[in-house]
């Protein structure tokens, strides 16, 4: 990294920070730090799903299918992303969840970048990170057995 330029690989960098490439959670001074937008490169095995619904969302989100087959659940509506480039956008206040029907790669863009909650290990309530800051929500997912 040098000054205001960062060159990386989404697959490699995403593995270092639960998929997140850009947002408020990157260190100040890092070109990937932003209070305006969050970007995630999500790689999901078949059967991977969000451990619990996101409720009270404060951001607008765009989710684009890169590969695979990915279902987004919204109140009263399921959206299947089946062709590369299929996408869905939802606004503030729209609860959501998701499930990878096949091995899938998705690009998520959310704005603005605000502290959210992550799903903790286990089935407890969403909690702030241990350092007092809050990680982006949706970090932990679970793979269905069987």
């Amino acid at each position: 990294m040098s000054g205001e330029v960062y060159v990386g690989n989404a697959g490699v960098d995403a593995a270092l920070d639960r998929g997140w490439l850009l947002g408020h959670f990157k260190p100040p001074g890092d070109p990937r730090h932003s209070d305006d937008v969050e970007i995630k490169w999500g790689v999901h095995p078949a059967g991977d799903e969000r451990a619990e619904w996101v409720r009270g969302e404060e951001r607008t989100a765009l989710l684009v299918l890169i590969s695979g087959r990915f279902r987004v659940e919204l109140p009263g509506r399921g959206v299947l992303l089946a062709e590369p480039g299929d996408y869905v956008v939802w606004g503030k206040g729209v609860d959501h969840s998701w499930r990878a029907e096949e091995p899938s790669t998705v690009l998520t863009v959310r704005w603005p970048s605000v502290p959210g909650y992550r799903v903790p290990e286990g089935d407890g309530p969403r909690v702030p990170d241990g350092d007092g800051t809050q990680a982006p929500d949706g970090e932990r997912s679970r793979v269905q057995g069987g």
Side-chain angles (χ1 to χ4, degrees):
M1 186 166 65
S2 174
E4 293 295 314
V5 176
Y6 179 93
V7 177
N9 176 278
V12 173
D13 290 353
L16 302 174
D17 199 5
R18 298 178 309 263
W20 293 98
L21 301 174
L22 189 142
H24 76 276
F25 35 80
K26 295 295 185 184
D30 185 321
R32 299 169 298 163
H33 177 87
S34 174
D35 292 326
D36 299 318
V37 67
E38 298 171 355
I39 298 177
K40 182 176 186 177
W41 182 261
V43 178
H44 304 278
D48 197 19
E49 66 182 3
R50 192 159 195 308
E52 63 183 55
W53 276 67
V54 174
R55 303 206 186 274
E57 179 60 75
E58 298 177 20
R59 300 158 292 208
T60 299
L62 161 72
L63 191 143
V64 181
L65 181 70
I66 305 299
S67 65
R69 189 173 168 94
F70 199 82
R71 180 171 297 278
V72 177
E73 295 296 334
L74 304 164
R77 180 177 185 185
V79 176
L80 178 63
L81 306 177
E83 298 292 327
D86 285 354
Y87 69 95
V88 60
V89 178
W90 61 90
K92 294 178 182 180
V94 177
D95 298 343
H96 66 278
S97 191
W98 53 260
R99 184 176 198 285
E101 293 189 354
E102 297 177 354
S104 300
T105 300
V106 295
L107 179 73
T108 302
V109 180
R110 297 190 302 203
W111 62 95
S113 181
V114 296
Y117 289 95
R118 67 183 174 107
V119 178
E121 297 300 321
D123 292 324
R126 289 183 276 174
V127 296
D129 282 346
D131 65 358
T133 62
Q134 296 174 341
D137 62 309
E139 285 3 85
R140 183 173 114 17
S141 56
R142 68 170 175 240
V143 177
Q144 295 285 77

